[in-house]
Amino acid sequence: MTIAYPSTPPVVAAPSGAPRPRLTFLGTGYLGATYAICFAELGYEVLGFDVDEAKISKLSGGDVPIHEPGLDELLRKNLSAGRLRFTTSWEEVAEFGDVHFICVGTPQRPDGMAADLSHVESAVTNLAPLLKRKALIAGKSTVPVGTAEWIEQLVRRHTPAELGVEVAWSPEFLQEGVAVEDVLRPNRIIFGVKSDWATGMLYAAHKGVFDLALTEDREVPVVVTDFATAELVKVAANAFLATKISFINAMAEVCEAAGADVTQLARSIGYDARIGNKFLRAGVGFGGGCLPKDIRAFQARAQELGVGEALRFLHEVDLINQRRRQKIVQLSAELLGRGYGPAGPDLAGTRITVLGATFKPNSDDVRDSPALSVVRKLARSGAEVTVYDPEGMDNARNDVADVTYSKTLTDAVTGADLICVLTEWEEFRNADPNSLNELVAARRVIDGRNCLDQSVWVAAGWEYRGMGKPAVA
Ligand code: UDX
């Protein structure tokens, strides 16, 4: 059932007796921290929980442990307003909350493609036995279909039946870099529920979002559905987005062979409203804490359900994506005049500067970052690699230790034989190649995100290579 809120809401009272349900967010990573802070901003009383004491003390002190534009300011504002607190105590969480949102990570398991649900399990089994009144445990984390049913069983096992604790699933769709906007002004909300009480509670827990929409003359579509559909909405959306990116990157491969330009191809097909121009940027491919591991976990779950063939194409989507990373190494060898044999190129003695470490701009997240994956490959081929990123340096250093990190763009490019732009930060897009001319050892650039103005770089005397574009010297 799809409802465009605000409409007539089901009314249920918060079990704590508070005028609005009190919300807890379990796990204060990219997802939970953003939600906790934004829902306090929407006027809710909020408690954020994490097992990581360092993270909690940072947040309590007004310091956001991640880089997400606009979040610092909202954190400090809502801490001072007294609506927002953070804790490492399960007892406090159980005592405080009417709705407990599960926001913990579900990373890829080290032994395969499936999702690791140990954090979800631990959140539920720690919280449930401490509950003293009715509450709603609502999942937001991305999980394999069937998880909500399993959580319901865990809750039944760990809470007395007379409390009537319920479970719901309400996946989130925030994109890093614009996460605050995505949480405050979502394009849709999904309620996976089994009872009217759960629907009413979720409605009350999101009323702030609907009220904000009302003041801005917008409506927020809400799909009220079953657990399995709600869980699948999230992975299906991410699988579709990953497929769209890999589709255009496959076209880039064809363009490279045929001497065509994928950026013009993408623009041309994107004018068809059925296709649309979003998520059609060819380049070094997708990364991050979501798309890569979600398409793998989805395939693993489909196998378990006996429908592995239905998602076999996602394996191809993954392979196309991985090939784009290798393409940067291949282009580097080509530009530097090095042979490319079966064991890869020999880049020994070359100095390559990689601009970008995060998986996308306006984030400090380097999880499964294409840029860092290329850094590793280049270093493995013998290149001396120098990396610069405006926000991701600390995380990058923890991930890849044995390369050089520079504090500024100018330092990073000085003496380089080749520059690879692998994350489309504004600082790189706007860099004036003329001002870099005297710093580099040779004017060669690979535009791994097709984000530079090719004509300006070529006019400044640079040998330029884009992704899926004809070579320009
Ligand atoms: C994604 C989903 O977009 C979001 O809805 C979900 O909640 C979490 O996963 P996020 O991981 O923040 O969000 O990044 P997204 O903006 O989707 O980008 C993913 C990757 O795809 C990035 O590495 C980005 O550079 C790449 N990308 C994106 C492309 O290569 N081409 C494009 O056209 C778009």
Side-chain angles (χ1 to χ4, degrees):
M1 178 176 44
T2 306
I3 311 164
Y5 281 115
S7 69
T8 317
V11 180
V12 294
S16 66
R20 285 177 130 187
R22 302 200 304 214
L23 312 181
T24 78
F25 292 88
L26 313 179
T28 55
Y30 286 92
L31 167 60
T34 310
Y35 262 91
I37 295 167
C38 288
F39 271 66
E41 173 67 13
L42 290 169
Y44 289 94
E45 273 190 81
V46 171
L47 184 62
F49 169 91
D50 206 289
V51 290
D52 183 338
E53 288 184 12
K55 216 184 256 181
I56 289 301
S57 74
K58 262 191 154 186
L59 283 161
S60 303
D63 198 0
V64 181
I66 54 168
H67 175 77
E68 186 59 50
L71 208 52
D72 283 273
E73 200 190 317
L74 292 185
L75 170 64
R76 287 193 278 271
K77 180 178 159 200
N78 286 286
L79 282 173
S80 352
R83 280 190 296 268
L84 178 60
R85 287 181 306 113
F86 294 92
T87 184
T88 53
S89 155
W90 283 114
E91 285 77 10
E92 213 179 321
V93 168
E95 158 56 31
F96 178 85
D98 294 304
V99 182
H100 302 281
F101 286 109
I102 301 173
C103 299
V104 295
T106 51
Q108 186 175 342
R109 289 170 61 114
D111 61 352
M113 297 208 301
D116 174 358
L117 293 179
S118 58
H119 302 300
V120 174
E121 182 172 17
S122 135
V124 176
T125 53
N126 275 294
L127 172 66
L130 300 172
L131 293 172
K132 301 270 176 344
R133 59 171 186 266
K134 189 173 175 69
L136 182 67
I137 298 180
K140 284 218 168 282
S141 307
T142 305
V143 292
V145 60
T147 302
E149 290 285 350
W150 168 63
I151 287 177
E152 200 178 53
Q153 287 165 23
L154 287 179
V155 168
R156 284 209 189 110
R157 207 175 309 147
H158 290 280
T159 60
E162 59 272 20
L163 290 190
V165 174
E166 294 196 29
V167 171
W169 216 261
S170 181
E172 56 70 39
F173 306 97
L174 65 82
Q175 303 163 75
E176 290 177 28
V178 287
V180 170
E181 189 59 18
D182 280 351
V183 173
L184 296 178
R185 297 178 179 81
N187 49 27
R188 82 286 209 190
I189 293 181
I190 312 298
F191 292 169
V193 285
K194 283 198 178 169
S195 75
D196 288 346
W197 182 82
T199 309
M201 212 56 214
L202 278 180
Y203 175 83
H206 288 85
K207 189 168 181 302
V209 172
F210 305 130
D211 288 348
L212 177 66
L214 193 61
T215 64
E216 295 172 351
D217 208 15
R218 286 182 293 113
E219 283 182 345
V220 182
V222 175
V223 180
V224 181
T225 184
D226 53 86
F227 284 2
T229 307
E231 292 165 322
L232 279 172
V233 168
K234 175 59 190 277
V235 278
N238 277 357
F240 189 86
L241 294 173
T243 303
K244 206 170 174 192
I245 299 169
S246 276
F247 172 83
I248 202 63
N249 280 331
M251 294 304 111
E253 288 187 40
V254 177
C255 285
E256 279 152 14
D261 185 333
V262 76
T263 57
Q264 291 181 25
L265 175 86
R267 196 174 331 134
S268 307
I269 63 173
Y271 284 126
D272 184 333
R274 292 171 302 174
I275 296 173
N277 59 10
K278 303 241 171 72
F279 268 67
L280 269 191
R281 291 190 320 275
V284 70
F286 60 81
C290 296
L291 299 193
K293 64 114 178 146
D294 287 352
I295 60 168
R296 291 173 201 147
F298 199 11
Q299 289 170 74
R301 186 65 185 130
Q303 285 281 359
E304 286 168 6
L305 293 170
V307 286
E309 306 86 69
L311 298 188
R312 201 166 287 157
F313 71 96
L314 287 179
H315 178 59
E316 212 53 55
V317 165
D318 207 355
L319 290 180
I320 295 167
N321 196 49
Q322 298 301 326
R323 280 206 295 277
R324 290 287 83 187
R325 300 174 180 193
Q326 197 55 36
K327 176 72 185 176
I328 302 283
V329 181
Q330 193 186 328
L331 279 176
S332 301
E334 224 173 275
L335 272 176
L336 293 165
R338 296 301 181 97
Y340 194 91
D346 177 10
L347 298 175
T350 63
R351 298 177 69 175
I352 302 180
T353 295
V354 171
L355 297 181
T358 54
F359 83 105
K360 68 193 279 193
N362 303 318
S363 168
D364 62 352
D365 195 346
V366 300
R367 286 175 295 170
D368 209 336
S369 163
L372 276 193
S373 156
V374 171
V375 164
R376 261 190 227 102
K377 289 180 197 294
L378 293 171
R380 224 180 288 133
S381 300
E384 264 179 62
V385 185
T386 301
V387 181
Y388 168 69
D389 187 282
E391 294 291 343
M393 301 286 267
D394 290 344
N395 287 339
R397 236 182 246 113
N398 286 336
D399 213 349
V400 186
D402 49 355
V403 296
T404 306
Y405 289 93
S406 285
K407 285 203 170 68
T408 64
L409 171 61
T410 312
D411 283 355
V413 300
T414 302
D417 299 314
L418 167 67
I419 295 177
C420 299
V421 178
L422 300 186
T423 313
E424 67 275 36
W425 284 97
E426 202 179 330
E427 186 180 358
F428 308 153
R429 284 192 279 116
N430 296 337
D432 174 9
N434 291 296
S435 70
L436 307 181
N437 280 354
E438 303 313 316
L439 301 174
V440 293
R443 297 178 199 173
R444 301 184 187 104
V445 64
I446 294 175
D447 183 1
R449 292 287 182 182
N450 290 340
C451 63
L452 305 178
D453 188 335
Q454 177 176 331
S455 56
V456 173
W457 285 74
V458 171
W462 288 68
E463 215 177 329
Y464 171 97
R465 291 286 184 283
M467 302 294 278
K469 292 176 172 192
V472 186

